[in-house]
């Protein structure tokens, strides 16, 4: 009883709203247009891109950021950039180049050419306010001699060049891999500076026979000042131009350059590449909506309403964008999905209103017909819009740990609200004017009076075809003249009979089992998409650089900083064993290991604190080959006694080409050890900021949104039209969501912020299209389930097919945007639309004929009513036999 009262109350409210809109169409047409003009100008004036890629795509709240702060408080990360090597996530300003020799070549034989390029970088000048700045003015300086920090491979190349000039063979200069001995006696790790290495067979010291690639990084100082940052940005820009010029001068080498701004630039490049394709997409949607709203009947055809419906969504999206920028929002390329998301939901409301208009009685005044259409359609559209708002509102909540997802969801909530407002106001007004033209018998395209049948008979055939309302020669008592719409005609006369055929149903069941099998298989293979190149333009310099880097420099993981942040008894044998256990399996760059080796070689005893620290300070750290370890130890002095309060070492693991995944595994293995070991330490690399619990962070929004929608549907079980409608809706949405998730995984789509947003959208897109179909079915009063599903498809199938076809056709231009981000968007939305269409037109029409709700009670009620009516007629005849008359 309560649900009928609520449903009738909502219908009554929207009937009155429809009447109000139909009586004041100019007002409801003008207000949205004025809002769009106002906020559209703000969009042009306040547009600003977001340049901080870390804040967008890295988890906002992660332990890695806390560890970074703690590590930075102990040892300056700016000074540690050269040691804490990271693939694409190096902090601060820098320029990086990979020099690749031709296949079969040895890059070490081209040391002279590489050093020429190196000198060109050092001598390169950038002008700022009349002053010329070179690398020596901007570089990170070493603490011990205040010289620029340069990669150790430069020293190796200089040794090779000197050997070549003095007519020595390069074999006399022994280069080992991954650790090599430098000329000054230092042992250096060059695993990330030398790539494509082939070692001398049976070499005990891992001598290098040949190498394909060399990677050199130029680190710039970061003072935090705006001026320094501007100069550094100009230097990076000149660096990339210089590398391009050097590529033209040295055809025997391939040069790939990268700078700190490259990732952001190539991330933003997607938006520039997609602008033209989005306009093409809009044109395709306009064309599809216009054609699908047309009929042969020139009176009842509504091509302009289809076109105006799409334009309604466009101007509401422009208004939403203006509000976003007025509230100091910054644009990023993930927001490219909003026009498609908004269009998919908004045009559903447009086509449902058109279908609702077609279901109204033609003999009513046009204002009453508009009110009836609102009463019929706006209840379900309000429910689906509310669920959209709940889902994306949950995605915009503090539980979401990725800023790009949060910003997208906030913007989407505004778009949904404005879509809803613009459809019942702006598009409703357009429907009022179109209804008035129809009532006055004006042509739907040319807006002229449709001539009489006698006048048309005297005109040529082409004129009769253009001006014929389609019912000149039929009965005026036809129940529904709109049944001649080509989609409705196809569904009624052909498709409905075919899909409910008993011989088709077994094949549909087999099809669903195949669909479910592939979906389940894909769900077992989900990968998190922490790789930043998934969001970049596919043909960008950053992606090219990352692929070459992955191919030749993935033998070793990023360098992990191992920070011991509490005083430790390093001279204790037990502590030494614990440190060996922790670093076991890693290639270490460690002052502790070198110091222990120094003591063993010199046969020096340091078994107590005073001896250990005195020898360390007075002897070990004074040696030229060990002086750089001063940066890895923090001493404190209490009276005459020195203490080591903190220290660091570096760990590097052997990895395969899937470096990032293995780096995450290393983090997950090392971090728990810091809680159970007696040694208090933290581990850090800049890469960890982007990867720390990324899988959980990126899946949390869709889990929260799905839970929110499920909770709403369960709580409204006894408030909606029929509880079984909600039950079937939950099953359908779950099936579609898992299908999209599994199939996109099989299509090599990782779980990144774009695919997660698409999964949130899929939840709502499925509800948007399945809900009206299911509720119409459960409320139908026909004798059989088959007849009920036929009526449901006939009532809502046209709007569903119009909307999904427009949505899928609009996605096609995205396929031609050379960007990984748009490829992901295209794949996910294509799967969302296809799976929804499959369920609405194939799976549900068959499965609903097998399972509840049963329609037998409706049949019994009808029989009882018929019998009761026959008995009443018999009684009346018996009482008054003279009343019977011939017809």
């Amino acid at each position: 009883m309560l649900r009928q009262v609520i449903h009738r109350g909502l219908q009554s409210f929207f009937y009155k709203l429809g009447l109000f809109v139909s009586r004041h169409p100019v007002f409801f047409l003008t207000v949205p247009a004025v809002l769009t003009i106002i906020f559209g100008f703000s969009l042009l004036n306040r547009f600003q891109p977001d340049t901080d890629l870390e804040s967008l795509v890295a988890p906002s709240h992660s332990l890695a950021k806390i560890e970074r702060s703690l590590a930075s408080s102990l040892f300056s990360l700016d000074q540690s950039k050269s040691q804490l090597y990271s693939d694409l996530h190096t902090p601060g300003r820098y320029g990086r180049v990979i020099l690749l020799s031709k296949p079969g070549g040895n890059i070490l034989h081209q040391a002279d050419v590489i050093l020429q390029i190196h000198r060109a970088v050092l001598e390169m000048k950038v002008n700022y306010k009349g002053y010329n700045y070179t690398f020596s003015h901007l570089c990170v300086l070493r603490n011990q001699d205040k010289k620029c920090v340069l990669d150790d491979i430069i020293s190796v190349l200089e040794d090779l060049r000197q050997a070549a000039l003095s007519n020595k063979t390069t074999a006399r200069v022994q280069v080992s891999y991954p650790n090599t001995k430098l000329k000054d006696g230092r042992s250096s790790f060059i695993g990330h500076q030398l790539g494509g290495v082939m070692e001398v067979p049976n070499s005990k010291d891992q001598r290098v026979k040949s190498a394909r690639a060399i990677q050199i990084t130029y680190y710039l100082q970061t003072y935090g000042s705006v001026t320094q940052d501007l100069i550094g940005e100009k230097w990076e820009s000149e660096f990339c131009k210089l590398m391009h010029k050097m590529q033209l001068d040295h055809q025997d080498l391939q040069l790939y350059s990268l700078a700190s701004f490259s990732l952001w630039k190539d991330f933003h490049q997607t938006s520039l590449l997609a602008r033209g394709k989005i306009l093409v997409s809009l044109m395709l949607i306009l064309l599809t909506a216009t054609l699908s709203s047309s009929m042969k009947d020139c009176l009842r055809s509504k091509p302009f309403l289809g076109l105006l419906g799409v334009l309604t969504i466009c101007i509401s999206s422009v208004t939403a964008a203006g509000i976003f920028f007025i509230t100091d929002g910054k644009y990023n390329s993930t927001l490219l999905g909003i026009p498609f998301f908004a269009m998919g939901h908004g045009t559903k409301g447009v086509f449902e209103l058109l279908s609702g208009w077609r279901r109204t009685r033609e003999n009513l005044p046009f204002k009453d017909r508009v009110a009836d259409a609102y009463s019929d359609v706006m209840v379900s559209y309000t429910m689906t819009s509310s669920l959209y708002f709940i889902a994306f509102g949950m995605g915009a909540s503090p539980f979401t740990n990725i800023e790009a997802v949060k910003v997208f969801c906030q913007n989407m909530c505004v778009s949904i609200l404005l879509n809803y407002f613009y459809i019942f106001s702006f598009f409703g007004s357009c429907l009022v004017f179109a209804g008035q033209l129809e009532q006055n018998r004006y042509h739907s395209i040319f807006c002229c009076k449709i001539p009489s049948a006698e006048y048309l008979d005297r005109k040529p055939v082409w004129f009769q075809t253009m001006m014929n309302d389609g019912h000149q020669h039929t009965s005026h008592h036809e129940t529904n003249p709109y049944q001649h719409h080509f989609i409705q005609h196809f569904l009624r006369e052909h498709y409905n009979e075919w899909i409910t055929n008993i011989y088709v149903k077994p094949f549909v069941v087999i099809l669903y089992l195949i669909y479910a099998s592939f979906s389940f298989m894909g769900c077992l293979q989900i990968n998190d998409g922490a790789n930043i190149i998934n969001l970049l333009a596919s043909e960008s310099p950053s992606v090219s650089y990352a692929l070459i880097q992955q191919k030749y420099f993935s033998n070793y993981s990023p360098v992990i900083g191992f920070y011991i942040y509490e005083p430790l008894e390093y001279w204790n044998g037990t502590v030494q064993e614990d440190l060996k256990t922790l670093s076991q399996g890693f290639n270490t760059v460690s002052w502790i290991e070198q110091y222990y080796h120094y003591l063993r070689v010199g046969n020096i005893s340091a078994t107590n604190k005073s001896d250990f620290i005195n020898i360390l300070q007075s002897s070990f750290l004074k040696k030229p080959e060990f002086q750089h370890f001063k940066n890895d130890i923090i001493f404190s002095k209490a009276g005459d006694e020195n203490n080591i309060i903190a220290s660091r070492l570096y760990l590097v693991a052997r990895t395969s080409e899937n470096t990032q995944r293995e780096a995450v595994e290393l983090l997950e293995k090392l971090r728990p050890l810091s809680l159970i070991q007696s040694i208090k330490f933290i581990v850090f690399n800049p890469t960890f900021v982007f990867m720390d619990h990324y899988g959980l962070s990126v899946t949390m929004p869709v889990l929260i949104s799905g839970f929110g929608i499920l909770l709403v549907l369960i709580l409204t079980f006894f408030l909606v039209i029929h509880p079984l409608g909600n039950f079937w809706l939950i099953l359908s949405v779950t099936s579609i969501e898992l299908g999209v998730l599994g199939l996109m995984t099989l299509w090599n789509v990782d779980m990144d912020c774009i695919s997660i947003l698409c999964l949130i959208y899929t939840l709502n897109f499925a509800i948007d299209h399945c809900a009206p179909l299911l509720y119409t079915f459960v409320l139908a009063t026909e004798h059989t389930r088959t007849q009920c599903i036929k009526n449901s498809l006939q009532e809502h199938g046209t709007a569903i097919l119009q909307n999904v076809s427009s949505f899928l056709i609009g996605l096609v231009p995205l396929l031609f945007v050379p960007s990984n981000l748009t490829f992901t968007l295209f794949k996910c939305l294509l799967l969302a639309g296809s799976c929804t269409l499959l369920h609405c037109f194939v799976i549900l029409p068959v499965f609903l004929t097998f399972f509840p709700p049963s329609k037998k009670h409706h049949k019994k009620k009808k029989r009882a009513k018929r019998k009761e009516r026959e008995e009443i007629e018999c009684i009346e005849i018996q009482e008054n036999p003279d009343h019977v008359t011939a017809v």
Side-chain angles (χ1 to χ4, degrees):
M1 184 64 184
L2 178 61
R3 57 175 177 262
Q4 282 87 354
V5 171
I6 293 174
H7 186 63
R8 287 170 187 167
L10 289 172
Q11 283 186 321
S12 175
F13 169 78
F14 285 113
Y15 182 87
K16 293 176 182 177
L17 178 63
L19 275 180
F20 187 71
V21 171
S22 63
R23 289 168 183 167
H24 307 89
V26 176
F27 173 78
F28 284 100
L29 195 70
T30 307
V31 171
V34 171
L35 287 175
T36 301
I37 293 170
I38 293 172
F39 290 110
F41 279 114
S42 71
L43 169 63
L44 297 174
N45 296 331
R46 290 175 173 264
F47 179 84
Q48 187 178 2
D50 197 333
T51 58
D52 191 351
L53 199 57
E54 181 190 315
S55 67
L56 280 175
V57 300
S60 303
H61 308 288
S62 67
L63 192 55
K65 289 189 175 181
I66 299 172
E67 290 167 343
R68 178 174 63 182
S69 300
L70 182 55
S72 182
S73 67
L74 297 172
F75 302 95
S76 172
L77 290 183
D78 198 45
Q79 298 291 328
S80 310
K81 285 191 291 189
S82 58
Q83 288 90 4
L84 282 174
Y85 171 82
S86 173
D87 294 338
L88 295 176
H89 309 296
T90 303
R93 296 275 179 191
Y94 64 92
R96 185 173 283 169
V97 61
I98 291 177
L99 302 103
L100 184 66
S101 65
K102 290 184 176 180
N106 186 355
I107 194 73
L108 297 177
H109 292 165
Q110 297 174 289
D112 191 49
V113 176
I114 297 172
L115 288 172
Q116 287 179 21
I117 296 172
H118 171 65
R119 282 194 296 271
V121 173
L122 298 184
E123 294 169 2
M124 181 183 70
K125 297 178 181 179
V126 293
N127 187 275
Y128 182 77
K129 293 186 177 180
Y131 292 94
N132 290 325
Y133 295 87
T134 63
F135 178 71
S136 60
H137 296 103
L138 306 172
C139 66
V140 175
L141 301 176
R142 293 188 300 212
N143 287 334
Q144 54 266 34
D145 55 8
K146 300 304 179 184
K147 291 183 179 179
C148 290
V149 172
L150 294 173
D151 287 344
D152 292 328
I153 195 68
I154 299 295
S155 301
V156 174
L157 292 172
E158 287 176 345
D159 293 344
L160 291 170
R161 185 172 66 89
Q162 289 295 333
L165 291 175
S166 58
N167 296 323
K168 295 179 181 178
T169 62
T170 54
R172 295 290 298 274
V173 180
Q174 295 185 2
V175 181
S176 300
Y177 181 84
N179 294 302
T180 191
K181 204 78 170 177
L182 300 179
K183 199 172 184 178
D184 59 3
R186 287 188 298 120
S187 177
S188 175
F189 177 80
I190 58 169
H192 298 117
Q193 299 167 28
L194 199 62
V197 174
M198 290 184 62
E199 297 177 2
V200 175
N202 302 320
S203 174
K204 293 182 180 179
D205 55 357
Q206 297 178 298
R207 285 175 54 195
V208 175
K209 180 181 178 182
S210 66
R212 278 289 312 276
I214 281 179
Q215 181 173 235
I216 305 173
T217 308
Y218 300 90
Y219 298 98
L220 304 185
Q221 187 67 266
T222 305
Y223 295 113
S225 68
V226 176
T227 302
Q228 178 75 16
D229 193 59
L230 286 173
I231 298 171
E233 185 177 357
K234 290 190 71 174
W235 187 92
E236 288 180 344
S237 180
E238 290 298 321
F239 171 80
C240 292
K241 291 177 183 176
L242 178 64
M243 291 302 106
H244 180 69
K245 179 177 178 296
M246 288 294 173
Q247 176 66 82
L248 300 176
D249 295 340
H250 302 281
Q251 297 295 329
D252 54 337
L253 288 174
Q254 288 179 284
L255 274 67
Y256 299 88
S257 61
L258 184 78
S260 67
F261 67 78
S262 298
L263 291 178
W264 169 81
K265 182 180 177 182
D266 295 335
F267 176 65
H268 187 62
Q269 183 72 14
T270 298
S271 301
L272 304 178
L273 294 171
R275 285 184 302 186
K277 304 300 186 295
I278 288 178
L279 290 177
V280 174
S281 178
L282 176 60
M283 294 298 108
L284 289 175
I285 294 173
L286 285 169
L287 181 62
T288 308
T290 303
L291 293 177
S292 66
S293 303
S294 302
M295 297 172 61
K296 289 182 180 179
D297 187 337
C298 69
L299 177 65
R300 297 169 183 86
S301 178
K302 295 289 183 289
F304 285 133
L305 272 186
L307 185 144
L308 287 169
V310 175
L311 291 179
T312 300
I313 310 306
C314 292
I315 62 175
S316 75
S317 298
V318 170
T319 309
I323 293 173
F324 174 70
F325 288 113
I326 279 180
T327 55
D328 296 328
K330 292 183 179 181
Y331 177 81
N332 67 81
S333 290
T334 59
L335 298 178
L336 276 175
I338 284 184
F340 296 94
F341 286 22
M343 193 67 70
H345 172 60
T347 50
K348 180 61 168 54
V350 167
F351 292 128
E352 282 288 357
L353 271 176
L354 271 175
S355 293
W357 171 267
R358 295 189 187 106
R359 289 192 293 270
T360 59
R361 290 180 295 169
E362 276 195 313
N363 58 355
L364 291 174
F366 71 92
K367 294 182 180 179
D368 291 336
R369 292 184 68 186
V370 171
D372 283 342
Y374 270 56
S375 174
D376 185 20
V377 171
M378 291 302 290
V379 175
S380 63
Y381 188 66
T382 301
M383 185 196 80
T384 54
S385 297
S386 301
L387 290 176
Y388 266 91
F389 189 80
I390 290 170
F392 284 101
M394 297 291 280
S397 68
F399 296 106
T400 300
N401 202 21
I402 296 181
E403 189 65 22
V405 176
K406 190 181 292 186
V407 170
F408 188 101
C409 290
Q410 290 170 351
N411 209 347
M412 195 63 198
C413 287
V414 177
S415 295
I416 293 299
L417 289 175
L418 288 172
N419 263 4
Y420 184 79
F421 170 71
Y422 273 63
I423 282 173
F424 83 72
S425 58
F426 188 87
F427 182 74
S429 300
C430 296
L431 186 62
V432 171
F433 290 123
Q436 190 172 8
L437 289 174
E438 182 180 329
Q439 181 173 298
N440 295 329
R441 295 189 58 78
Y442 278 86
H443 198 285
S444 61
I445 298 176
F446 304 118
C447 298
C448 60
K449 269 282 189 181
I450 297 175
S452 63
E454 293 78 11
Y455 181 82
L456 284 175
D457 289 339
R458 300 193 298 269
K459 293 296 179 181
V461 176
W462 66 267
F463 186 81
Q464 291 181 21
T465 304
M466 290 181 61
M467 303 301 292
N468 192 354
D469 67 356
H471 296 277
Q472 297 287 350
H473 305 291
T474 60
S475 171
H476 291 285
H477 300 287
E478 186 171 353
T479 55
N480 188 2
Y482 290 100
Q483 288 184 353
H484 292 282
H485 188 279
F486 66 96
I487 298 178
Q488 278 196 332
H489 177 78
F490 168 73
L491 292 175
R492 184 181 69 255
E493 301 296 335
H494 304 287
Y495 186 78
N496 288 353
E497 295 296 332
W498 177 79
I499 194 64
T500 54
N501 190 302
I502 193 170
Y503 298 107
V504 174
K505 292 179 181 180
F507 294 99
V508 172
V509 173
I510 293 171
L511 174 66
Y512 184 73
L513 291 176
I514 295 171
Y515 165 85
S517 301
F518 277 95
S519 302
F520 182 72
M521 184 170 60
C523 290
L524 297 177
Q525 303 175 33
I526 295 173
N527 296 320
D528 65 70
N531 197 339
I532 194 69
I533 65 173
N534 290 340
L535 302 176
L536 307 182
S538 55
E539 297 176 2
S540 62
S542 299
V543 172
S544 302
Y545 190 96
L547 293 175
I548 293 296
Q549 191 181 58
Q550 187 177 20
K551 184 175 181 180
Y552 292 104
F553 297 94
S554 59
N555 290 336
Y556 292 93
S557 68
V559 178
I560 302 170
F562 185 95
Y563 297 84
I564 302 170
Y565 57 87
E566 286 187 357
L568 194 65
E569 297 179 354
Y570 296 95
W571 52 91
N572 190 309
T574 304
V575 172
Q576 294 175 17
E577 287 300 320
D578 289 343
L579 287 171
K580 282 183 182 179
T581 302
L582 288 171
S583 60
Q584 189 174 4
F586 290 93
N587 194 310
T588 59
V589 181
S590 167
W591 70 270
I592 302 172
E593 188 177 287
Q594 293 288 334
Y595 185 45
Y596 292 157
H597 179 71
Y598 173 79
L599 293 175
R600 283 196 302 270
V601 171
N603 197 20
I604 303 171
S605 176
T607 55
N608 56 63
K609 178 180 178 181
S610 59
D611 292 345
F612 186 91
I613 294 178
N614 287 335
I615 297 170
L616 177 66
Q617 288 183 309
S618 61
S619 179
F620 177 76
L621 295 178
K622 298 290 185 181
K623 298 281 185 181
E625 63 268 33
F626 303 129
Q627 281 185 356
H628 61 285
F629 287 131
K630 288 181 180 179
N631 300 324
D632 298 335
I633 308 170
I634 299 177
F635 292 99
S636 70
K637 192 168 185 179
D640 295 332
E641 189 180 40
N642 290 322
N643 295 300
I644 300 174
I645 60 171
S647 70
R648 67 179 174 185
L649 53 136
Y650 302 103
L651 307 176
V652 189
R654 186 84 180 180
T655 57
S656 62
E657 284 194 17
N658 200 351
T659 310
Q660 291 199 334
R661 182 173 303 283
E662 295 182 21
V664 174
E665 292 174 358
L666 287 174
L667 175 63
E668 292 174 351
K669 288 178 181 177
L670 284 172
R671 188 177 281 162
L673 294 176
S674 65
L675 302 176
I676 60 175
Q677 290 284 341
S678 57
I679 300 174
K680 301 300 180 184
F681 68 91
I682 58 171
V683 288
F684 174 72
N685 180 277
T687 305
F688 294 164
V689 174
F690 288 81
M691 298 180 177
D692 191 11
H693 292 100
Y694 184 86
L696 178 62
S697 298
V698 81
T699 54
M700 187 58 70
V702 72
L703 292 175
I704 293 172
S705 300
F707 177 75
I709 289 177
L710 180 65
L711 187 63
V712 169
L713 291 176
I714 291 174
L715 292 177
T716 57
F717 247 66
F718 302 101
L719 298 179
V720 293
I721 306 167
H722 199 292
L724 274 176
N726 271 19
F727 176 75
W728 272 106
L729 188 59
I730 291 170
L731 291 181
S732 303
V733 171
T734 304
S735 177
I736 293 170
E737 184 77 1
L738 293 178
V740 172
L741 177 61
L743 293 175
M744 80 177 194
T745 304
L746 295 178
W747 205 354
N748 297 322
V749 176
D750 294 333
M751 294 287 281
D752 56 20
C753 56
I754 295 297
S755 56
I756 281 299
L757 289 167
C758 290
L759 287 174
I760 296 174
Y761 181 70
T762 301
L763 287 169
N764 298 279
F765 193 79
I767 292 173
D768 224 350
H769 294 79
C770 295
L773 192 70
L774 288 168
Y775 287 133
T776 302
F777 172 80
V778 298
L779 289 177
T781 58
E782 278 70 21
H783 294 177
T784 63
R785 296 191 188 100
T786 301
Q787 191 59 42
C788 289
I789 195 62
K790 285 181 180 179
N791 289 353
S792 300
L793 282 174
Q794 191 171 333
E795 188 168 328
H796 296 287
T798 303
I800 294 172
L801 199 57
Q802 282 177 305
N803 189 55
V804 176
S805 59
S806 300
F807 180 72
L808 294 179
I809 289 172
L811 295 177
V812 173
L814 286 181
L815 192 59
F816 301 97
V817 180
S819 170
N820 295 330
L821 187 151
T822 52
F823 287 161
T824 301
L825 192 65
F826 170 78
K827 291 176 181 179
C828 294
L829 294 184
L830 179 65
L831 288 173
S834 303
C835 291
T836 302
L837 197 66
L838 178 71
H839 279 72
C840 288
F841 282 94
V842 179
I843 295 171
L844 285 177
V846 171
F847 278 64
L848 286 173
T849 60
F850 298 153
F851 301 106
S854 173
K855 300 300 177 181
K856 289 183 179 178
H857 63 284
H858 292 301
K859 191 173 182 178
K860 290 179 181 177
K861 284 182 180 178
K862 286 195 173 183
R863 284 179 178 173
K865 286 182 179 178
R866 192 184 309 118
K867 187 176 180 181
E868 184 181 354
R869 187 165 58 248
E870 289 173 353
E871 289 176 354
I872 292 171
E873 289 175 356
C874 291
I875 291 170
E876 288 178 350
I877 291 171
Q878 289 175 2
E879 290 178 352
N880 189 8
D882 298 331
H883 186 69
V884 179
T885 57
V887 179

